[in-house]
Amino acid sequence: MRIQSYATYEEMSKAAARYMAAQLLLKPDSVIGLATGSTPIGMYKELIKMNEAGEIDFSDVVTVNLDEYKGLSADHPQSYRYFMNENLFDHVNVFADNTYLPDGEQVDDAKVCKDYDDIIETVGPIDVQLLGIGHNGHIGFNEPADAFTTGTQCITLDERTLQANARFFDGDMTKVPTKAFTMGIGTIMKAKKILLVVTGKEKTEILDKAMNGPVNPAVPASILQLHPDVMVIVDDAALGK
Ligand code: GLP
């Protein structure tokens, strides 16, 4: 794992955007795995600016997102499809048909998972997978467990995750969907490169466990220690500086 740290969130966001921009320059038809959460928003803003300035082109890019809440429609303001449209897709020249997320509206969980695995198999391999990290070490929505997941899963979210994500649901934990579809850890690990972005002192402890602790499904992000090409871009606060 390589780690780069920056004094501020703005600087780390710019660095993460430069990493993605370099990928798109090297391989304009890249398959990019994308993430939601607050952390990548600054990076998305920078990518939008670069796209507007003609510095990067998304016209041949395919995106596959990590996860989606079960039961939320694409036009629900808290769905991850809505988030991605608002924070990136509507502002860059990516083709909507080339952007994929699990189908949160489907009732048949097994079908959603199989369909998403088939999509990733067809468009993949993923060139760069962007990740954030949850307070409990989750990546995507792969929560702490007894074993690492392989393909797409329907996951019951941990209480800690519901608490953290309540801020997007009027601060009301009971409004957060209790289940979500997530790309599996096996799929994440098959990405050629991984970019992990982390901000803020509330992530210091879990980042340290993920990077330096034992590789253990109780800290799902710890598996990243076994991937050959992980770039971790953080702000100083996340390092506990
Ligand atoms: C959510 C997402 C994750 C994300 C995590 C951290 O649970 N499913 O993919 O990494 O939140 O989010 P944040 O960056 O807001 O701390």
Side-chain angles (χ1 to χ4, degrees), residues 35-40 66-67 69 80 131-135 138-141 161 165 167-168 197 199 202-203:
T36 54
S38 308
T39 312
L66 283 170
D67 42 21
Y69 287 114
Y80 283 167
L131 296 176
I133 187 170
H135 297 86
H138 73 221
I139 46 177
F141 266 136
T161 303
N165 291 0
R167 67 192 195 277
F168 300 112
V197 289
T199 177
E202 71 279 6
K203 296 281 178 71

Side-chain angles (χ1 to χ4, degrees), residues 119-239:
I119 287 169
I120 296 168
E121 185 68 32
T122 305
V123 303
I126 296 170
D127 290 296
V128 175
Q129 177 63 56
L130 173 68
L131 296 176
I133 187 170
H135 297 86
N136 58 6
H138 73 221
I139 46 177
F141 266 136
N142 293 284
E143 300 283 30
D146 295 335
F148 291 109
T149 60
T150 51
T152 304
Q153 311 276 316
C154 182
I155 296 267
T156 299
L157 299 177
D158 277 12
E159 184 150 337
R160 184 70 188 86
T161 303
L162 298 177
Q163 274 167 7
N165 291 0
R167 67 192 195 277
F168 300 112
F169 293 82
D170 310 322
D172 184 350
M173 208 174 119
T174 63
K175 289 189 185 165
V176 185
T178 55
K179 290 189 167 196
F181 297 104
T182 182
M183 187 187 286
I185 287 180
T187 309
I188 292 171
M189 289 296 282
K190 277 193 221 155
K192 292 184 194 165
K193 297 178 206 166
I194 290 180
L195 171 61
L196 172 65
V197 289
V198 191
T199 177
K201 63 179 185 326
E202 71 279 6
K203 296 281 178 71
T204 307
E205 195 182 328
I206 194 65
L207 178 63
D208 180 48
K209 274 191 192 161
M211 290 188 63
N212 305 312
V215 175
N216 185 324
V219 181
S222 64
I223 191 93
L224 300 176
Q225 293 177 36
L226 304 181
H227 191 285
D229 192 341
V230 180
M231 173 64 91
V232 187
I233 297 186
V234 302
D235 57 15
D236 287 348
L239 282 190

Side-chain angles (χ1 to χ4, degrees), residues 16-24 32-34 43 47 128 130 195:
R18 286 197 296 274
Y19 178 103
M20 280 295 181
Q23 173 65 33
L24 300 193
I32 307 289
L34 292 175
M43 187 198 87
L47 290 175
V128 175
L130 173 68
L195 171 61

Side-chain angles (χ1 to χ4, degrees), residues 52-81:
E52 281 169 356
E55 292 163 10
I56 50 171
D57 177 22
F58 285 84
S59 60
D60 289 327
V61 170
V62 173
T63 69
V64 281
N65 259 80
L66 283 170
D67 42 21
E68 179 60 282
Y69 287 114
K70 179 175 166 62
L72 296 195
S73 62
D75 59 358
H76 188 291
Q78 265 66 51
S79 75
Y80 283 167
R81 163 59 77 182

